[in-house]
């Protein structure tokens, strides 16, 4: 049976448009899903030393409103440190400090902030950040890291007394750690 007339063509045109529109929606949806940013991709890129990719993923996750922002900003900050973008790294760490004070990454953010200053050779600002970490979180399990960094800063400034003081403190807090052994060589070399 054959259908004739203008209604037939309109029906065919509508069916064609619906099929075309449906396939376009499926294609766009697949592209959008494949183009989304991913926390595991960001972590993997970071662990593989692909720091720019980690930063790009972090920015995408932040723009998408992903949860766990403190962790995202932390990985972004450390990646920026590795890329030599110290001011950008500081902004990431300061964001954690100002917005996520109860985060498990807060102590690490202070250390990252100090590291960004240290890498730019602003030893006074680095010392201030490390001392703030120790002052605010004296019982943190990684406090010896801050003491280690303080020993390095004071040694770089030529203050062997302060360098040895923080070296001793690091050694007492974590006698088997790298931090407990390393500062003595640094402080003694001045």
């Amino acid at each position: 049976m054959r259908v004739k007339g203008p209604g037939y063509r309109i029906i065919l045109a509508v069916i064609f448009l619906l099929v075309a529109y449906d396939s376009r929606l499926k294609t766009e949806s697949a592209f959008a899903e494949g183009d989304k940013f991913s926390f595991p991709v960001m972590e993997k890129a970071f662990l593989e030393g692909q720091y720019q990719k980690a930063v790009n993923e972090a920015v995408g996750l932040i723009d998408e409103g992903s949860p766990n922002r403190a962790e995202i900003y932390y990985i972004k900050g450390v990646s920026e440190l590795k890329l030599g973008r110290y001011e950008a790294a500081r902004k990431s760490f300061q964001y954690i400090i100002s917005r996520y004070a109860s985060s498990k990454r807060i102590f690490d953010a202070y250390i990252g902030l100090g590291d960004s200053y240290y890498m730019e050779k602003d030893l006074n600002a680095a010392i201030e950040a490390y001392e703030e970490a120790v002052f605010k979180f004296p019982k943190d399990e990684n406090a010896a890291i801050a003491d280690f960094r303080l020993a390095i800063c004071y040694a770089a400034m030529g203050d062997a007394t302060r360098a040895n003081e923080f070296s001793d403190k690091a050694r007492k807090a974590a006698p088997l750690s790298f931090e407990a052994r390393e500062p003595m060589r640094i402080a003694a070399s001045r």
Side-chain angles (χ1 to χ4, degrees):
M1 175 173 144
R2 241 179 110 145
V3 179
K4 295 184 178 183
Y8 174 72
R9 288 187 183 148
I10 292 173
I11 291 173
L12 280 178
V14 169
I15 291 172
F16 174 78
L17 289 173
L18 287 173
V19 169
Y21 183 72
D22 183 51
S23 67
R24 181 173 174 242
L25 283 177
K26 286 179 184 173
T27 302
E28 285 179 359
S29 175
F31 176 78
E33 287 175 14
D35 205 35
K36 285 197 179 206
F37 296 96
S38 159
F39 194 89
V41 169
M42 177 190 66
E43 282 184 313
K44 183 178 184 221
F46 175 77
L47 292 172
E48 291 177 346
Q50 298 174 358
Y51 301 118
Q52 186 57 57
K53 183 175 181 178
V55 168
N56 294 345
E57 287 290 319
V59 169
L61 288 167
I62 291 164
D63 289 347
E64 289 178 351
S66 290
N68 203 5
R69 292 251 179 126
E71 189 69 21
I72 294 167
Y73 272 97
Y74 180 73
I75 291 173
K76 180 178 178 279
V78 174
S79 295
E80 289 164 331
L81 276 179
K82 296 287 190 176
L83 293 168
R85 298 180 194 152
Y86 307 124
E87 189 173 336
R90 273 194 293 279
K91 287 180 182 177
S92 292
F93 298 131
Q94 288 168 335
Y95 189 84
I96 296 167
I97 291 166
S98 68
R99 304 256 172 114
Y100 300 102
S102 62
S103 164
K104 68 177 185 164
R105 285 296 186 183
I106 189 74
F107 178 83
D108 299 331
Y110 278 101
I111 297 300
L113 185 62
D115 290 350
S116 71
Y117 286 119
Y118 177 79
M119 292 174 153
E120 282 190 318
K121 300 187 184 346
D122 186 347
L123 298 177
N124 290 319
I127 287 170
E128 187 177 316
Y130 297 140
E131 285 180 342
E132 192 167 355
V134 172
F135 177 76
K136 289 187 174 186
F137 308 98
K139 300 208 185 286
D140 190 279
E141 63 186 22
N142 293 317
I145 291 170
D147 293 329
F148 170 70
R149 303 279 207 302
L150 284 164
I152 290 172
C153 287
Y154 281 113
M157 294 174 82
D159 188 341
T161 302
R162 296 286 288 175
N164 285 324
E165 175 187 326
F166 284 103
S167 175
D168 290 344
K169 190 175 174 186
R171 188 175 59 255
K172 287 175 186 169
L176 300 177
S177 70
F178 167 78
E179 292 81 9
R181 293 184 305 271
E182 192 64 20
M184 290 307 292
R185 284 200 337 240
I186 293 168
S189 70
R190 287 273 161 200

